[in-house]
Amino acid sequence: MDTFFVANCVKSWSKIYKFYTVLILYVISQSQLSQCEKTVLTPNDISTMPITIASYGPDVARAKKYVYLSGAAYCFNIPAWKCPYCEKAQGFGYDFHALIVNKQANTLAFIAINKELKEVVVTIRGTLNVANVVQDIHPSILSIETGSSPLGRGKSKGPEIRIHTGMINATNSLYPEIVEKFGKVLKENENFEVVLVGHSLGAAAASLTLFQLKEEIRLPADFPTPKSYAYFGYGTPRLGNQAYADYWNGQAMQITRVINKADFAAYTPPSLGGYVHHGNELWLSPTGEEKVCSKTVYEDPNCANSIASMSNLQDHLQYWDVEYLSCARADPLATAGQFVIPVV
């Protein structure tokens, strides 16, 4: 018979909160450099590479709207659509449609629809449990070209794309069900725009989900084509190499990657491992400025990278008025369940 224990014999919510904080700090301390690149790129190399990003610049207004959907992903009863962030999203016209959960990987996503704006939004939850932390700190990076990855290449035939193993695994734990439920929604709502949204690990999984959809990877033959795609990520970690960044930077579509102040996730995994951010950066600076960063470099040294030495956890946990752990604190028993580990 399986027995269960709670880490450190948690007896109160304060201990649970401290445990979760320690886990995330562990992610920072244990980030390992990958040996995937023959030539190691320095932060200066990356920041000075000449490139014009073709994707449309950051959309601040939409970013302030989708942030509530990214917050709603952390609620424990999303289908009820009654949490503070669910209600905020509902105020913008978004209604809950479907929940997608992988219990083994402890990952979660949901689909919301805005009939008036003709949008379907797929939101993926970020790190909230031990399984997610394991995905975050996975030390390796895999090639999509070699077949060593569970992903297979589709239409794109560019340079070798390499992406973070744990983030691939988190993505693929949800992808088949996303394709199934998302495809049905598109068939019922023709000519709708599709938006992928996420915070933290969820932002990485949203990007990789969108990559697979764009590349038509493991899609049924009758999968409908939406009007357009867009991406909004909050606290997105670096998840791929330069080829992955080039892929997105060459797409004529809306890509907004939001970084709050010195959010530690913006600096992980380290760029020395060959990881590069993709898309347009919208930086919420410590002075309160909403800064649209340069479109001619991979990572603007005048934006979030200018205060990398100040990286911290708190900036990761709050974007505008969305506090990602607020629902967790409101339901300590459900949160404790996230840290219960089965022992066989």
Side-chain angles (χ1 to χ4, degrees):
M1 177 182 295
D2 290 350
T3 59
F4 298 84
F5 70 90
V6 177
N8 293 327
C9 299
V10 176
K11 296 181 180 179
S12 66
W13 162 239
S14 61
K15 290 186 178 181
I16 297 170
Y17 184 80
K18 290 178 182 178
F19 177 59
Y20 178 65
T21 302
V22 168
L23 282 172
I24 296 184
L25 291 175
Y26 178 76
V27 173
I28 304 172
S29 66
Q30 295 297 311
S31 295
Q32 301 183 38
L33 299 182
S34 169
Q35 298 179 355
C36 68
E37 303 291 341
K38 295 181 180 179
T39 302
V40 176
L41 299 174
T42 68
N44 183 65
D45 292 334
I46 293 170
S47 67
T48 56
M49 287 177 177
I51 183 172
T52 299
I53 300 176
S55 57
Y56 309 137
D59 189 322
V60 180
R62 294 177 74 184
K64 288 183 175 180
K65 178 176 61 173
Y66 298 130
V67 71
Y68 295 116
L69 290 167
S70 73
Y74 288 87
C75 298
F76 292 120
N77 188 11
I78 299 172
W81 212 233
K82 293 296 184 182
C83 80
Y85 304 134
C86 299
E87 291 181 345
K88 285 274 192 178
Q90 191 174 37
F92 285 106
Y94 294 93
D95 293 316
F96 172 81
H97 178 78
L99 188 67
I100 299 160
V101 178
N102 185 307
K103 292 183 178 180
Q104 183 175 1
N106 214 337
T107 50
L108 178 149
F110 71 91
I111 299 173
I113 301 176
N114 189 315
K115 294 282 189 177
E116 182 178 354
L117 296 179
K118 292 189 174 182
E119 288 181 359
V120 178
V121 182
V122 179
T123 303
I124 303 179
R125 188 187 68 195
T127 301
L128 189 63
N129 49 66
V130 172
N132 298 159
V133 172
V134 171
Q135 293 156 353
D136 286 331
I137 66 175
H138 201 294
S140 68
I141 184 170
L142 290 178
S143 171
I144 300 179
E145 297 281 1
T146 62
S148 58
S149 160
L151 296 178
R153 291 305 298 275
K155 296 181 298 181
S156 177
K157 301 300 179 184
E160 181 182 54
I161 291 178
R162 302 175 73 88
I163 45 185
H164 187 278
T165 304
M167 295 175 193
I168 296 173
N169 293 339
T171 302
N172 285 343
S173 70
L174 296 168
Y175 185 69
E177 191 174 351
I178 286 177
V179 168
E180 177 188 353
K181 293 183 176 179
F182 172 52
K184 290 180 180 178
V185 173
L186 285 182
K187 289 178 181 178
E188 297 169 358
N189 299 277
E190 296 181 1
N191 205 33
F192 272 43
E193 180 179 20
V194 172
V195 186
L196 275 293
V197 172
H199 167 259
S200 187
L201 176 62
S207 175
L208 288 169
T209 297
L210 182 53
F211 175 82
Q212 295 187 79
L213 292 172
K214 287 277 293 179
E215 286 292 294
E216 299 179 352
I217 295 172
R218 299 199 302 274
L219 296 183
D222 62 344
F223 193 85
T225 301
K227 177 183 178 181
S228 61
Y229 283 110
Y231 170 81
F232 287 80
Y234 305 87
T236 310
R238 300 181 180 112
L239 64 147
N241 66 349
Q242 182 182 328
Y244 186 72
D246 287 344
Y247 172 89
W248 284 121
N249 294 347
Q251 300 291 327
M253 61 179 287
Q254 175 57 242
I255 301 176
T256 296
R257 180 173 50 80
V258 188
I259 299 176
N260 182 44
K261 301 175 186 176
D263 180 348
F264 83 89
Y267 314 110
T268 58
S271 59
L272 291 176
Y275 292 95
V276 183
H277 271 306
H278 68 285
N280 295 288
E281 179 180 336
L282 172 62
W283 184 41
L284 312 181
S285 75
T287 63
E289 179 186 6
E290 295 166 350
K291 186 174 181 180
V292 175
C293 303
S294 174
K295 292 189 66 176
T296 61
V297 295
Y298 288 92
E299 299 184 28
D300 191 338
N302 299 310
C303 284
N305 276 356
S306 66
I307 57 172
S309 62
M310 300 169 61
S311 66
N312 65 84
L313 174 64
Q314 184 56 42
D315 290 343
H316 184 63
L317 298 179
Q318 183 158 354
Y319 275 66
W320 286 298
D321 60 340
V322 172
E323 188 181 354
Y324 288 102
L325 291 185
S326 59
C327 289
R329 284 201 299 271
D331 194 344
L333 292 179
T335 302
Q338 298 291 328
F339 296 98
V340 174
I341 307 172
V343 178
V344 180

mmCIF file of all heavy atoms in Angstrom, residues 165-193:
data_model
loop_
_atom_site.group_PDB
_atom_site.id
_atom_site.type_symbol
_atom_site.label_atom_id
_atom_site.label_comp_id
_atom_site.label_asym_id
_atom_site.label_seq_id
_atom_site.Cartn_x
_atom_site.Cartn_y
_atom_site.Cartn_z
ATOM 1 N N THR A 165 15.128 20.158 -22.136
ATOM 2 C CA THR A 165 14.465 18.857 -22.016
ATOM 3 C C THR A 165 13.250 18.900 -21.097
ATOM 4 O O THR A 165 12.178 18.396 -21.438
ATOM 5 C CB THR A 165 15.454 17.802 -21.492
ATOM 6 O OG1 THR A 165 16.593 17.763 -22.351
ATOM 7 C CG2 THR A 165 14.800 16.429 -21.447
ATOM 8 N N GLY A 166 13.407 19.486 -19.909
ATOM 9 C CA GLY A 166 12.295 19.514 -18.959
ATOM 10 C C GLY A 166 11.108 20.283 -19.498
ATOM 11 O O GLY A 166 9.950 19.915 -19.262
ATOM 12 N N MET A 167 11.376 21.338 -20.256
ATOM 13 C CA MET A 167 10.291 22.143 -20.818
ATOM 14 C C MET A 167 9.586 21.408 -21.961
ATOM 15 O O MET A 167 8.377 21.550 -22.148
ATOM 16 C CB MET A 167 10.831 23.503 -21.268
ATOM 17 C CG MET A 167 11.347 24.336 -20.105
ATOM 18 S SD MET A 167 12.120 25.880 -20.618
ATOM 19 C CE MET A 167 12.926 26.377 -19.078
ATOM 20 N N ILE A 168 10.342 20.593 -22.707
ATOM 21 C CA ILE A 168 9.721 19.742 -23.726
ATOM 22 C C ILE A 168 8.794 18.743 -23.045
ATOM 23 O O ILE A 168 7.659 18.517 -23.478
ATOM 24 C CB ILE A 168 10.781 18.954 -24.534
ATOM 25 C CG1 ILE A 168 11.686 19.894 -25.319
ATOM 26 C CG2 ILE A 168 10.111 17.964 -25.478
ATOM 27 C CD1 ILE A 168 12.838 19.179 -25.980
ATOM 28 N N ASN A 169 9.302 18.131 -21.974
ATOM 29 C CA ASN A 169 8.504 17.112 -21.283
ATOM 30 C C ASN A 169 7.220 17.701 -20.710
ATOM 31 O O ASN A 169 6.149 17.090 -20.795
ATOM 32 C CB ASN A 169 9.333 16.475 -20.172
ATOM 33 C CG ASN A 169 10.497 15.652 -20.705
ATOM 34 O OD1 ASN A 169 10.477 15.229 -21.868
ATOM 35 N ND2 ASN A 169 11.507 15.428 -19.895
ATOM 36 N N ALA A 170 7.317 18.895 -20.106
ATOM 37 C CA ALA A 170 6.122 19.548 -19.559
ATOM 38 C C ALA A 170 5.132 19.849 -20.681
ATOM 39 O O ALA A 170 3.921 19.645 -20.542
ATOM 40 C CB ALA A 170 6.514 20.833 -18.840
ATOM 41 N N THR A 171 5.646 20.324 -21.806
ATOM 42 C CA THR A 171 4.793 20.644 -22.954
ATOM 43 C C THR A 171 4.084 19.407 -23.480
ATOM 44 O O THR A 171 2.866 19.406 -23.687
ATOM 45 C CB THR A 171 5.629 21.267 -24.087
ATOM 46 O OG1 THR A 171 6.289 22.437 -23.606
ATOM 47 C CG2 THR A 171 4.754 21.626 -25.277
ATOM 48 N N ASN A 172 4.842 18.353 -23.677
ATOM 49 C CA ASN A 172 4.276 17.141 -24.277
ATOM 50 C C ASN A 172 3.333 16.386 -23.359
ATOM 51 O O ASN A 172 2.537 15.559 -23.809
ATOM 52 C CB ASN A 172 5.397 16.223 -24.756
ATOM 53 C CG ASN A 172 6.023 16.740 -26.033
ATOM 54 O OD1 ASN A 172 5.448 17.579 -26.718
ATOM 55 N ND2 ASN A 172 7.209 16.267 -26.349
ATOM 56 N N SER A 173 3.405 16.678 -22.057
ATOM 57 C CA SER A 173 2.463 16.044 -21.140
ATOM 58 C C SER A 173 1.038 16.545 -21.387
ATOM 59 O O SER A 173 0.063 15.868 -21.046
ATOM 60 C CB SER A 173 2.877 16.326 -19.689
ATOM 61 O OG SER A 173 2.677 17.700 -19.347
ATOM 62 N N LEU A 174 0.908 17.726 -21.997
ATOM 63 C CA LEU A 174 -0.401 18.330 -22.245
ATOM 64 C C LEU A 174 -0.764 18.382 -23.724
ATOM 65 O O LEU A 174 -1.945 18.492 -24.070
ATOM 66 C CB LEU A 174 -0.417 19.757 -21.691
ATOM 67 C CG LEU A 174 -0.254 19.920 -20.179
ATOM 68 C CD1 LEU A 174 0.011 21.382 -19.835
ATOM 69 C CD2 LEU A 174 -1.484 19.422 -19.437
ATOM 70 N N TYR A 175 0.228 18.332 -24.585
ATOM 71 C CA TYR A 175 0.016 18.623 -26.002
ATOM 72 C C TYR A 175 -1.054 17.765 -26.691
ATOM 73 O O TYR A 175 -1.912 18.301 -27.400
ATOM 74 C CB TYR A 175 1.347 18.518 -26.753
ATOM 75 C CG TYR A 175 1.263 18.927 -28.205
ATOM 76 C CD1 TYR A 175 1.050 20.257 -28.567
ATOM 77 C CD2 TYR A 175 1.405 17.982 -29.226
ATOM 78 C CE1 TYR A 175 0.984 20.635 -29.897
ATOM 79 C CE2 TYR A 175 1.340 18.359 -30.553
ATOM 80 C CZ TYR A 175 1.130 19.685 -30.891
ATOM 81 O OH TYR A 175 1.059 20.050 -32.212
ATOM 82 N N PRO A 176 -1.062 16.447 -26.516
ATOM 83 C CA PRO A 176 -2.080 15.646 -27.219
ATOM 84 C C PRO A 176 -3.507 16.061 -26.871
ATOM 85 O O PRO A 176 -4.365 16.162 -27.761
ATOM 86 C CB PRO A 176 -1.784 14.208 -26.761
ATOM 87 C CG PRO A 176 -0.343 14.230 -26.393
ATOM 88 C CD PRO A 176 -0.112 15.575 -25.781
ATOM 89 N N GLU A 177 -3.782 16.319 -25.581
ATOM 90 C CA GLU A 177 -5.131 16.713 -25.185
ATOM 91 C C GLU A 177 -5.445 18.147 -25.623
ATOM 92 O O GLU A 177 -6.588 18.462 -25.963
ATOM 93 C CB GLU A 177 -5.313 16.571 -23.675
ATOM 94 C CG GLU A 177 -6.768 16.710 -23.231
ATOM 95 C CD GLU A 177 -6.979 16.420 -21.757
ATOM 96 O OE1 GLU A 177 -6.038 15.950 -21.085
ATOM 97 O OE2 GLU A 177 -8.110 16.666 -21.276
ATOM 98 N N ILE A 178 -4.421 18.998 -25.635
ATOM 99 C CA ILE A 178 -4.631 20.352 -26.153
ATOM 100 C C ILE A 178 -5.049 20.286 -27.612
ATOM 101 O O ILE A 178 -5.995 20.956 -28.040
ATOM 102 C CB ILE A 178 -3.356 21.205 -25.996
ATOM 103 C CG1 ILE A 178 -3.154 21.598 -24.535
ATOM 104 C CG2 ILE A 178 -3.441 22.478 -26.860
ATOM 105 C CD1 ILE A 178 -1.883 22.394 -24.265
ATOM 106 N N VAL A 179 -4.351 19.478 -28.388
ATOM 107 C CA VAL A 179 -4.679 19.337 -29.819
ATOM 108 C C VAL A 179 -6.111 18.842 -29.991
ATOM 109 O O VAL A 179 -6.874 19.365 -30.819
ATOM 110 C CB VAL A 179 -3.688 18.375 -30.507
ATOM 111 C CG1 VAL A 179 -4.179 17.994 -31.907
ATOM 112 C CG2 VAL A 179 -2.306 19.013 -30.591
ATOM 113 N N GLU A 180 -6.494 17.848 -29.196
ATOM 114 C CA GLU A 180 -7.834 17.278 -29.319
ATOM 115 C C GLU A 180 -8.918 18.313 -28.994
ATOM 116 O O GLU A 180 -9.841 18.538 -29.792
ATOM 117 C CB GLU A 180 -7.970 16.079 -28.381
ATOM 118 C CG GLU A 180 -9.348 15.453 -28.377
ATOM 119 C CD GLU A 180 -9.515 14.387 -27.309
ATOM 120 O OE1 GLU A 180 -8.522 14.036 -26.646
ATOM 121 O OE2 GLU A 180 -10.654 13.912 -27.130
ATOM 122 N N LYS A 181 -8.816 18.938 -27.820
ATOM 123 C CA LYS A 181 -9.870 19.866 -27.387
ATOM 124 C C LYS A 181 -9.813 21.190 -28.147
ATOM 125 O O LYS A 181 -10.842 21.781 -28.473
ATOM 126 C CB LYS A 181 -9.768 20.095 -25.881
ATOM 127 C CG LYS A 181 -10.092 18.843 -25.080
ATOM 128 C CD LYS A 181 -10.062 19.095 -23.578
ATOM 129 C CE LYS A 181 -10.481 17.840 -22.806
ATOM 130 N NZ LYS A 181 -10.441 18.048 -21.339
ATOM 131 N N PHE A 182 -8.612 21.631 -28.426
ATOM 132 C CA PHE A 182 -8.420 22.872 -29.144
ATOM 133 C C PHE A 182 -8.927 22.749 -30.582
ATOM 134 O O PHE A 182 -9.557 23.659 -31.132
ATOM 135 C CB PHE A 182 -6.936 23.224 -29.092
ATOM 136 C CG PHE A 182 -6.513 24.379 -29.926
ATOM 137 C CD1 PHE A 182 -7.156 25.598 -29.840
ATOM 138 C CD2 PHE A 182 -5.437 24.266 -30.786
ATOM 139 C CE1 PHE A 182 -6.737 26.677 -30.604
ATOM 140 C CE2 PHE A 182 -5.017 25.337 -31.540
ATOM 141 C CZ PHE A 182 -5.673 26.542 -31.451
ATOM 142 N N GLY A 183 -8.676 21.591 -31.185
ATOM 143 C CA GLY A 183 -9.147 21.358 -32.549
ATOM 144 C C GLY A 183 -10.665 21.411 -32.653
ATOM 145 O O GLY A 183 -11.217 21.965 -33.613
ATOM 146 N N LYS A 184 -11.334 20.864 -31.660
ATOM 147 C CA LYS A 184 -12.805 20.880 -31.661
ATOM 148 C C LYS A 184 -13.320 22.321 -31.559
ATOM 149 O O LYS A 184 -14.296 22.689 -32.217
ATOM 150 C CB LYS A 184 -13.338 20.042 -30.505
ATOM 151 C CG LYS A 184 -13.127 18.534 -30.672
ATOM 152 C CD LYS A 184 -13.672 17.777 -29.479
ATOM 153 C CE LYS A 184 -13.458 16.276 -29.645
ATOM 154 N NZ LYS A 184 -13.954 15.516 -28.464
ATOM 155 N N VAL A 185 -12.651 23.116 -30.710
ATOM 156 C CA VAL A 185 -13.061 24.512 -30.553
ATOM 157 C C VAL A 185 -12.912 25.259 -31.878
ATOM 158 O O VAL A 185 -13.797 26.024 -32.284
ATOM 159 C CB VAL A 185 -12.229 25.203 -29.463
ATOM 160 C CG1 VAL A 185 -12.533 26.701 -29.417
ATOM 161 C CG2 VAL A 185 -12.523 24.582 -28.104
ATOM 162 N N LEU A 186 -11.811 25.040 -32.567
ATOM 163 C CA LEU A 186 -11.572 25.745 -33.828
ATOM 164 C C LEU A 186 -12.585 25.349 -34.901
ATOM 165 O O LEU A 186 -12.999 26.185 -35.711
ATOM 166 C CB LEU A 186 -10.158 25.466 -34.330
ATOM 167 C CG LEU A 186 -9.016 26.172 -33.600
ATOM 168 C CD1 LEU A 186 -7.680 25.824 -34.242
ATOM 169 C CD2 LEU A 186 -9.221 27.675 -33.607
ATOM 170 N N LYS A 187 -12.982 24.090 -34.906
ATOM 171 C CA LYS A 187 -13.975 23.651 -35.886
ATOM 172 C C LYS A 187 -15.321 24.328 -35.646
ATOM 173 O O LYS A 187 -16.079 24.571 -36.590
ATOM 174 C CB LYS A 187 -14.124 22.125 -35.828
ATOM 175 C CG LYS A 187 -12.919 21.374 -36.391
ATOM 176 C CD LYS A 187 -13.094 19.865 -36.259
ATOM 177 C CE LYS A 187 -11.870 19.139 -36.794
ATOM 178 N NZ LYS A 187 -11.979 17.658 -36.644
ATOM 179 N N GLU A 188 -15.594 24.616 -34.378
ATOM 180 C CA GLU A 188 -16.864 25.257 -34.030
ATOM 181 C C GLU A 188 -16.793 26.782 -34.124
ATOM 182 O O GLU A 188 -17.821 27.454 -34.107
ATOM 183 C CB GLU A 188 -17.268 24.854 -32.606
ATOM 184 C CG GLU A 188 -17.525 23.362 -32.437
ATOM 185 C CD GLU A 188 -17.649 22.962 -30.976
ATOM 186 O OE1 GLU A 188 -17.491 23.853 -30.102
ATOM 187 O OE2 GLU A 188 -17.885 21.769 -30.707
ATOM 188 N N ASN A 189 -15.575 27.313 -34.206
ATOM 189 C CA ASN A 189 -15.388 28.771 -34.231
ATOM 190 C C ASN A 189 -14.394 29.124 -35.342
ATOM 191 O O ASN A 189 -13.210 29.364 -35.091
ATOM 192 C CB ASN A 189 -14.882 29.268 -32.878
ATOM 193 C CG ASN A 189 -15.844 28.980 -31.747
ATOM 194 O OD1 ASN A 189 -16.793 29.714 -31.504
ATOM 195 N ND2 ASN A 189 -15.609 27.871 -31.037
ATOM 196 N N GLU A 190 -14.864 29.143 -36.543
ATOM 197 C CA GLU A 190 -13.998 29.411 -37.688
ATOM 198 C C GLU A 190 -13.533 30.865 -37.709
ATOM 199 O O GLU A 190 -14.206 31.761 -37.224
ATOM 200 C CB GLU A 190 -14.743 29.089 -38.989
ATOM 201 C CG GLU A 190 -15.109 27.616 -39.149
ATOM 202 C CD GLU A 190 -15.810 27.346 -40.458
ATOM 203 O OE1 GLU A 190 -15.998 28.300 -41.248
ATOM 204 O OE2 GLU A 190 -16.174 26.178 -40.704
ATOM 205 N N ASN A 191 -12.352 31.056 -38.253
ATOM 206 C CA ASN A 191 -11.784 32.387 -38.428
ATOM 207 C C ASN A 191 -11.515 33.102 -37.106
ATOM 208 O O ASN A 191 -11.592 34.330 -37.012
ATOM 209 C CB ASN A 191 -12.688 33.259 -39.306
ATOM 210 C CG ASN A 191 -11.916 34.373 -39.993
ATOM 211 O OD1 ASN A 191 -10.755 34.209 -40.342
ATOM 212 N ND2 ASN A 191 -12.553 35.514 -40.161
ATOM 213 N N PHE A 192 -11.183 32.321 -36.049
ATOM 214 C CA PHE A 192 -10.817 32.895 -34.752
ATOM 215 C C PHE A 192 -9.293 32.996 -34.657
ATOM 216 O O PHE A 192 -8.568 32.171 -35.218
ATOM 217 C CB PHE A 192 -11.330 32.027 -33.605
ATOM 218 C CG PHE A 192 -12.730 32.359 -33.161
ATOM 219 C CD1 PHE A 192 -13.730 32.612 -34.085
ATOM 220 C CD2 PHE A 192 -13.058 32.404 -31.815
ATOM 221 C CE1 PHE A 192 -15.025 32.916 -33.682
ATOM 222 C CE2 PHE A 192 -14.345 32.701 -31.395
ATOM 223 C CZ PHE A 192 -15.339 32.962 -32.336
ATOM 224 N N GLU A 193 -8.809 34.012 -33.925
ATOM 225 C CA GLU A 193 -7.388 34.099 -33.623
ATOM 226 C C GLU A 193 -7.087 33.186 -32.437
ATOM 227 O O GLU A 193 -7.919 33.031 -31.539
ATOM 228 C CB GLU A 193 -6.975 35.528 -33.269
ATOM 229 C CG GLU A 193 -5.486 35.648 -32.957
ATOM 230 C CD GLU A 193 -5.031 37.057 -32.626
ATOM 231 O OE1 GLU A 193 -5.906 37.881 -32.266
ATOM 232 O OE2 GLU A 193 -3.823 37.327 -32.707
#
